[in-house]
Amino acid sequence: MAKVLIVDDSPTETYKLTSILEKNGHEVITAENGEQGVAVAKKERPDLVLMDIVMPGLNGFQATRQLSKASETSHIPVIIVTTKDQETDRVWGMRQGAKAYLTKPISEKTLVQAIADAMA
């Protein structure tokens, strides 16, 4: 299946997402903040990135924008997975280059479908 990079500063959320992904046959790599997420994406070239928004330093919107603009990572789909559920956040996230915007808590079915859609 796919190599998925999870960028989230919450160990609990990272664990939940990792469990769902591994159960569905994906390989998981992780980063704890936006800066680390961008660096890991450039080094590891994942097939997909799951990006949190609220993180210290470089936030998920900024990291998504960097990934979607950089030539070496612009082909990697980014799915935002966040607690921010305002329509303005959703619109802004998509404008930064995200392929999908999901709000926590997220169901396994929703996540698996979003990954399939983003990689299609």
Side-chain angles (χ1 to χ4, degrees):
M1 292 299 283
K3 183 197 293 189
V4 180
L5 169 60
I6 299 171
V7 184
D8 199 316
D9 60 333
S10 162
T12 306
E13 287 298 328
T14 300
Y15 175 79
K16 286 180 194 170
L17 292 170
T18 299
S19 298
I20 292 170
L21 292 169
E22 288 179 344
K23 180 176 153 193
N24 285 277
H26 299 291
E27 178 188 342
V28 175
I29 50 179
T30 62
E32 294 175 9
N33 58 52
E35 291 95 341
Q36 192 182 20
V38 171
V40 170
K42 287 181 176 179
K43 181 172 174 268
E44 297 285 335
R45 308 286 182 168
D47 298 306
L48 183 112
V49 177
L50 296 179
M51 182 74 71
D52 186 25
I53 296 298
V54 183
M55 296 180 286
L58 195 69
N59 71 37
F61 290 137
Q62 295 164 322
T64 298
R65 185 169 54 243
Q66 284 188 17
L67 290 175
S68 64
K69 296 239 183 290
S71 59
E72 68 265 42
T73 55
S74 62
H75 66 284
I76 303 170
V78 176
I79 296 176
I80 291 176
V81 182
T82 182
T83 54
K84 293 174 75 67
D85 64 353
Q86 298 295 313
E87 186 59 27
T88 52
D89 295 321
R90 182 179 303 277
V91 169
W92 187 244
M94 299 307 279
R95 281 193 182 152
Q96 304 316 302
K99 298 291 181 237
Y101 190 104
L102 307 174
T103 52
K104 299 174 187 174
I106 186 165
S107 74
E108 179 173 345
K109 182 180 175 190
T110 302
L111 180 62
V112 170
Q113 186 60 56
I115 291 170
D117 293 346
M119 294 184 62

